Amino acid sequence: MAPGGTSGGSESVIPDIVEGRLSEGFGTCCSFNRVGTLLACGLNDGRIVVCDFVTRSVVRSHIVHYDAITSILWLRKGHVVCSASFDGTVVLTEVLSGKQILKVDFRTPVRRLSIAHEESKRCVVNFYFERPAMFDLETGAHSELSQLGEVSIPEKKPAPSVHINPNFFGAMTPDGKSLVVGTASSSLVELDADTGETKREVPDVLAASKSALVKHISFSRNGQYILLNCSDRVLRLIDYECFQILHEFSDQVNRQPWIFACFLGDDWVIGGSERDGAHEIYVWSRASGQLRQILQGPSEGFLDMAPHPKHGYIVSLTNSGEFLVWGQSLTENWSAFAPDFEEIETNTVYVEKEDEFDLVVPSEKQPDGAGNQTAAKEQEGESVDVVEVKRSDSDPEAGELVFIPAEALPDASSSLHEVTQRKEDEQKRRLDEHIREIAERAKRRRE
């Protein structure tokens, strides 16, 4: 998933209830666009579904892969989505038309993608059993980070729902100049994004647990902090400037593993777990490291989540593929609209005063002193600037895709038939390529 957070310096709001559900198929991953108006959902059947987060309705649905989608990101001002799948392909797709701009087959299951921002031209591709690779989003060229050492490759391909601890995981920094990689030796390495050269390496950043492998790396939106999800069931908050551990987050009682962890704004750290099939999201304060709240969802397990980039919402996924929308419960406060409003528990008899609700026509002449007081108030009022426009980093930019008009979607039966046909065609194509490779090798041996 892409970095998320809230703009501005105020502390973001923590959601506390499930205010809605999105059942658009068996979901495997999701991601918000930069302004949080659109939600891209990757499904188990290889489809990408784009939902309007305001109306909670589906506005686009495209068949992109023939296997489960493992990661999805927004690019080029929200007009393109980049998706990775367990079938080993990374595809760039136009959101409105569904046209494939670029497709690259890595021939190994892709675990997660990482970019700096939506205008990035490069991407880090993380695999289940291989070293991370740097991927050019314009040309499709890719190069393996070969200086990180060797990895162990298991014999069998796991199911898409299985979470495997990779030996390496890499993530782009928010400025796009570097990438941080967690290695098999429990160390952190910062590489130059242009040359691939090592800028700095901290071998003892996980010295407390030599067996702790980095499962995932997430950056805060301001780029000052790194969150490491480690295989020893501990989340570690790192200061990016000095690579020092600020806080460690864990479940001291149950010692449960964290499926996914990231930042909610710049103020909170959130981690999702599925202890005994439960759906729980822990919320810690980034500044103090204290546990603030535990969000408990239905007993359907935990798969993934995406924080809203602008408001205090979280979209999480259950093991049944359902999307849960977490929001804040609202309490009606009528006194905020009328200061003299008084709430009563039971009906009471109110005796109206004689002139309380009489219609009074204002006279043209005002009592002495009234006009002077009004003029004084007008002079004391501050001038309002209606010309200058102050923008935040979460406001839409020129040409950015913010909303999509709804269109008629294909029937579910025809969509399923199309998915099945695409899977059969893709399997046939790969079988033909494999046969051609065997024939070419046999021909070279005879020569």
Side-chain angles (χ1 to χ4, degrees):
M1 285 173 224
T6 35
S7 60
S10 59
E11 193 175 75
S12 55
V13 179
I14 302 177
D16 52 11
I17 61 170
V18 177
E19 66 172 34
R21 295 170 179 254
L22 300 175
S23 300
E24 306 301 338
F26 194 104
T28 54
C29 59
C30 60
S31 176
F32 282 100
N33 65 340
R34 193 183 67 87
V35 293
T37 56
L38 299 174
L39 178 69
C41 306
L43 304 186
N44 191 44
D45 57 9
R47 285 185 298 142
I48 292 178
V49 175
V50 180
C51 299
D52 189 312
F53 192 69
V54 178
T55 62
R56 310 289 167 87
S57 60
V58 177
V59 291
R60 288 295 186 275
S61 179
H62 306 304
I63 302 174
V64 180
H65 302 271
Y66 81 93
D67 209 336
I69 297 178
T70 56
S71 183
I72 189 167
L73 299 171
W74 292 84
L75 299 173
R76 303 177 186 176
K77 295 185 177 182
H79 291 271
V80 176
V81 289
C82 179
S83 58
S85 172
F86 209 77
D87 60 12
T89 60
V90 175
V91 181
L92 272 66
T93 308
E94 287 186 355
V95 175
L96 295 178
S97 64
K99 177 184 177 182
Q100 289 189 3
I101 303 174
L102 181 66
K103 181 177 181 179
V104 176
D105 191 351
F106 288 92
R107 298 181 178 273
T108 183
V110 181
R111 182 170 183 262
R112 192 172 287 271
L113 305 174
S114 174
I115 61 173
H117 44 77
E118 286 191 3
E119 299 304 314
S120 298
K121 297 182 179 179
R122 289 170 298 189
C123 169
V124 178
V125 183
N126 294 282
F127 306 98
Y128 279 93
F129 317 118
E130 303 288 343
R131 289 178 289 267
M134 183 66 77
F135 176 59
D136 193 306
L137 295 171
E138 295 185 342
T139 64
H142 52 88
S143 58
E144 191 181 59
L145 303 179
S146 57
Q147 67 271 40
L148 296 177
E150 298 296 330
V151 297
S152 58
I153 301 178
E155 298 179 356
K156 295 184 179 181
K157 170 183 173 180
S161 59
V162 176
H163 294 271
I164 300 177
N165 296 337
N167 286 353
F168 303 100
F169 190 93
M172 293 286 294
T173 57
D175 57 8
K177 298 180 180 179
S178 306
L179 62 147
V180 176
V181 182
T183 68
S185 59
S186 301
S187 63
L188 283 182
V189 179
E190 183 178 7
L191 304 177
D192 188 278
D194 295 323
T195 62
E197 297 179 355
T198 302
K199 286 186 173 181
R200 54 177 172 170
E201 181 177 2
V202 186
D204 57 346
V205 67
L206 303 178
S209 179
K210 289 294 185 182
S211 61
L213 300 177
V214 178
K215 296 165 42 179
H216 182 263
I217 299 176
S218 177
F219 278 87
S220 61
R221 187 156 185 167
N222 56 21
Q224 298 179 2
Y225 306 100
I226 308 174
L227 183 63
L228 305 182
N229 185 4
C230 303
S231 60
D232 61 351
R233 306 184 178 188
V234 178
L235 304 178
R236 291 175 171 87
L237 182 66
I238 308 291
D239 189 318
Y240 174 63
E241 293 295 331
C242 56
F243 270 13
Q244 292 185 354
I245 299 178
L246 303 178
H247 300 293
E248 293 187 348
F249 311 102
S250 63
D251 186 353
Q252 300 293 338
V253 178
N254 302 302
R255 296 292 299 175
Q256 57 191 353
W258 304 106
I259 306 301
F260 184 75
C262 59
F263 291 90
L264 177 61
D266 289 329
D267 304 310
W268 310 105
V269 174
I270 55 178
S273 68
E274 56 171 3
R275 176 177 56 90
D276 298 330
H279 187 97
E280 297 179 338
I281 300 177
Y282 286 63
V283 183
W284 296 275
S285 171
R286 190 267 308 160
S288 64
Q290 299 295 320
L291 179 65
R292 287 297 186 92
Q293 195 167 349
I294 300 178
L295 308 180
Q296 296 182 341
S299 299
E300 301 175 8
F302 182 92
L303 186 61
D304 199 0
M305 64 179 170
H308 194 280
K310 195 173 181 180
H311 302 293
Y313 292 101
I314 300 175
V315 176
S316 60
L317 277 79
T318 66
N319 283 343
S320 60
E322 189 174 27
F323 297 87
L324 305 180
V325 181
W326 295 84
Q328 187 184 24
S329 57
L330 301 177
T331 304
E332 294 182 348
N333 183 16
W334 293 99
S335 60
F337 301 96
D340 57 346
F341 181 84
E342 181 181 356
E343 295 185 7
I344 57 177
E345 297 181 358
T346 60
N347 294 335
T348 59
V349 178
Y350 181 77
V351 180
E352 177 188 353
K353 298 179 181 179
E354 183 176 355
D355 58 348
E356 186 172 3
F357 299 105
D358 293 345
L359 179 61
V360 178
V361 179
S363 60
E364 296 181 358
K365 295 183 179 180
Q366 296 180 350
D368 295 340
N372 296 334
Q373 293 178 2
T374 304
K377 289 182 179 180
E378 292 178 353
Q379 292 178 359
E380 293 176 358
E382 297 181 358
S383 59
V384 179
D385 187 358
V386 296
V387 177
E388 182 181 0
V389 179
K390 296 181 179 180
R391 301 174 58 88
S392 66
D393 59 351
S394 296
D395 292 335
E397 297 180 355
E400 187 169 8
L401 183 63
V402 179
F403 295 104
I404 301 176
E407 64 176 7
L409 298 177
D411 183 67
S413 59
S414 62
S415 178
L416 180 61
H417 174 73
E418 188 177 353
V419 171
T420 305
Q421 186 64 38
R422 286 178 63 92
K423 287 186 178 181
E424 293 177 355
D425 295 343
E426 184 68 21
Q427 291 173 356
K428 182 180 178 180
R429 182 189 65 82
R430 291 200 170 200
L431 179 60
D432 293 341
E433 289 182 358
H434 185 61
I435 293 175
R436 284 197 299 269
E437 289 178 0
I438 295 176
E440 290 177 359
R441 286 199 297 266
K443 183 179 179 180
R444 286 194 296 268
R445 291 194 191 100
R446 289 194 300 267
E447 293 175 354

